[in-house]
Amino acid sequence: MEEEKGIITVDYQVHMTYFYESAGSIGTDGCSVCVGIIARKTNGNHFCAHFSSSVIGNDDNFETIRSKAAEIIQKYLKNDDLEIMSCCTLNYSEKSSQAIFKGLVDAYGKKVRELNQGQGIFYKNGTIGIVTGSNIRGATLGPNDGDGPIDIPKLLK
């Protein structure tokens, strides 16, 4: 995994709570309490998502966030289509980030690499990199093209 500082230009920039798939370069940033995902698919494309939670990250909500994350991601990325997944978050200690990551592991098992610390994640020139103090810019914004959003909504009782 490569660490990059400065401005990173990619073909597709994925904004918070959205996803997109690209045969070119792709990335997302601003993952302070969210989880950024870059996945290599079996068709050779790269899938990028920015996962957030509207539910407060605490011990009481951990299982709800975990199970909902596993359920939601599988609507957009089938296990059979996934080769490998890399993820990042800036705040390891934040419970909702931990729960989202655990949900991804529940959904895909050993295809998910360990969680990286960083503001964002990108795929460019054959390499997956972690963003540290940078901005990702892209010619096309994912939300204009992808279905989105990938968000764990507040649960109403």
Side-chain angles (χ1 to χ4, degrees):
M1 202 94 34
E2 183 177 303
E3 185 177 303
E4 190 154 330
K5 296 180 181 179
I7 301 299
I8 300 160
T9 303
V10 295
D11 297 324
Y12 295 91
Q13 179 182 1
V14 178
H15 283 214
M16 190 167 92
T17 78
Y18 286 86
F19 76 96
Y20 195 65
E21 180 178 337
S22 173
S25 57
I26 194 165
T28 190
D29 60 0
C31 300
S32 57
V33 294
C34 306
V35 176
I37 298 165
I38 295 285
R40 186 173 60 235
K41 296 181 70 176
T42 55
N43 68 4
N45 283 354
H46 282 79
F47 175 93
C48 181
H50 191 126
F51 229 120
S52 68
S53 173
S54 303
V55 179
I56 295 170
N58 59 31
D59 290 337
D60 292 339
N61 293 331
F62 189 91
E63 286 305 312
T64 299
I65 297 169
R66 181 203 56 76
S67 64
K68 203 69 173 158
E71 175 189 326
I72 290 170
I73 191 67
Q74 291 177 83
K75 292 179 184 177
Y76 303 101
L77 181 62
K78 305 294 181 213
N79 195 7
D80 289 346
D81 295 335
L82 175 64
E83 191 173 316
I84 193 91
M85 179 183 286
S86 297
C87 307
C88 79
T89 188
L90 188 59
N91 191 347
Y92 279 136
S93 61
E94 210 284 316
K95 290 282 186 186
S96 63
S97 297
Q98 292 173 10
I100 291 168
F101 181 71
K102 178 73 170 87
L104 296 172
V105 172
D106 289 349
Y108 304 113
K110 293 183 180 189
K111 293 180 181 180
V112 180
R113 295 177 175 166
E114 68 181 60
L115 187 60
N116 295 283
Q117 187 169 19
Q119 268 182 231
I121 191 165
F122 65 96
Y123 168 79
K124 186 174 182 178
N125 300 329
T127 302
I128 294 174
I130 300 298
V131 177
T132 56
S134 305
N135 289 320
I136 291 180
R137 296 191 181 161
T140 303
L141 301 179
N144 297 332
D145 303 295
D147 294 330
I150 295 184
D151 179 38
I152 299 161
K154 293 180 181 175
L155 303 175
L156 303 175
K157 294 185 177 194

